[in-house]
Each structure stands twice: as C-alpha cells, then as structure tokens.
Amino acid sequence: MSDTTALDAAKIDIRRWTPEEQSARALYGSRVLYAPSVLAEAAELLGKLYTAGQEHHIEREDWAAVTSLPMGVLDALAARYCSRIELTGTERHASRDALISELSGRGLTVQPAQRVVVEPLAGGPRFGYRGQAPVSLALTSGGWDIRVDEAANAHGPHPIAAPATEDGAREVAELVHKILSGEAPNPFAAPAVKEASA
C-alpha cells in the first residue's frame, strides 16, 4: 500500500468513526464534534500509522482485529484539543470575536455573553425541552464546546475538537451553521434505537 493509498484508507476510516457517520464516543464519554482541520490531521496521522504497520507486515485489517486505531487517533486528538487549553486573555478574546463575526457573517442571530448564544434557524432542527432553545458556545480551558442553552438542559456540553485560535473559531462557526441548518447531524438528538434482528 502506498502512502497515498494509506492516506485514502485513513480518510475513509476516520470518517466512519466521526459523529457524521455514527455516534463516536470520546474517552470522556461525550460525543466530540470535530473541525475539518482536526479530521484532516487525524487522517494524516492514521495514514502514517498504517504505513508504519505495513513496514512490519501489519495490514489495515490486522489493526481492526485487535483495536480501533481510528478511534484511538480521534481520542488522542480530542484529548489534545479538548483539555488543558492555555490562552492569554487577548487570544481568548480574539478567538471569541472571530467566532461572533463568522457566525454573524453566516446570517445567524448571535447574542454575545459569557457564552455566545446562537438562535436556531427557521426550518432547521429544534433544540431543548420545547424545541425553542438556542445553542451556546464557549472557549474554556477545556477547549470549544456547544450545548443547548436552557436551564432544564438534559444534555451536557459537547466538546468540539478544534484549534483554540481565530482559524479554529471560523471552523467552529462553520460547524455550528451546518448543525443549525440541518446539514450536519444534531449532536443533541437522542441516539437512534437499533431494532433487534430476528
């Protein structure tokens, strides 16, 4: 398998383990949402691991027999992007301002506060107990997160694996717009119940 083929296989495997395909679980229990740059980084890393394995006659399928290498890569990157984020006040404000600007530029109604509150779009998915709640975003020492913005919120925040930078803020805004427009899966929807086979 060439490096290009390993990277292509890695992109497929990473996509299979992200919330867009199924409910990926991070080590900390919540579904993690991934920014495109983090998914690209995961695919590149996984491709390199596949290539290194081949040098020892371990094929992609061999990994699947003993571990979920794609999930391990995603967990490692989620741990990096979703914990121990150290930012100066200036960096935090610049990232928050970039988020607000990008969300507003996408036509979303934004209420800047301690958490950035974003109203749902007409015709998009509904959130919260009565289906009228907005979502809110924050950049904390735990990285980016999104949650339903209501007091009776049954869902905790979902981490977003994205760089804690202005570029990361733009990726978060793009992801939030996709969620609100229904282009990306609703992270707050109840998991689909699998029917038992006879």
Side-chain angles (χ1 to χ4, degrees):
M1 185 184 298
S2 69
D3 288 349
T4 303
T5 307
L7 180 58
D8 290 340
K11 287 178 183 178
I12 290 166
D13 289 349
I14 290 296
R15 195 170 31 253
R16 278 191 194 131
W17 283 96
T18 59
E20 290 186 17
E21 294 295 320
Q22 62 184 20
S23 176
R25 295 270 175 200
L27 290 176
Y28 3 113
S30 296
R31 275 191 298 185
V32 175
L33 307 175
Y34 295 89
S37 65
V38 176
L39 290 175
E41 183 178 358
E44 182 181 342
L45 174 56
L46 184 58
K48 288 178 180 177
L49 292 172
Y50 284 161
T51 300
Q54 289 168 341
E55 292 173 11
H56 298 275
H57 308 288
I58 299 171
E59 296 299 320
R60 173 184 174 203
E61 297 78 20
D62 298 332
W63 289 110
V66 294
T67 189
S68 173
L69 202 52
M71 194 70 242
V73 167
L74 287 168
D75 275 343
L77 290 175
R80 184 173 88 204
Y81 285 107
C82 300
S83 65
R84 301 178 308 278
I85 306 301
E86 294 181 20
L87 295 172
T88 65
T90 303
E91 291 168 328
R92 188 177 310 279
H93 289 297
S95 294
R96 186 175 174 276
D97 291 347
L99 176 69
I100 293 167
S101 176
E102 191 69 23
L103 290 167
S104 298
R106 292 177 177 275
L108 298 171
T109 303
V110 179
Q111 301 168 22
Q114 185 172 1
R115 293 184 63 86
V116 176
V117 177
V118 186
E119 295 295 328
L121 288 171
R126 307 321 300 158
F127 307 102
Y129 179 67
R130 296 183 184 201
Q132 299 173 342
V135 298
S136 66
L137 303 155
L139 176 58
T140 68
S141 62
W144 294 101
D145 73 55
I146 183 172
R147 72 175 187 198
V148 174
D149 195 58
E150 68 180 0
N153 180 10
H155 304 281
H158 289 275
I160 302 174
T165 62
E166 291 178 54
D167 286 340
R170 286 186 268 283
E171 287 191 277
V172 168
E174 177 184 355
L175 179 60
V176 170
H177 184 264
K178 286 181 176 182
I179 290 168
L180 294 176
S181 66
E183 292 177 54
N186 176 352
F188 309 109
V193 178
K194 293 182 181 180
E195 293 182 25
S197 57

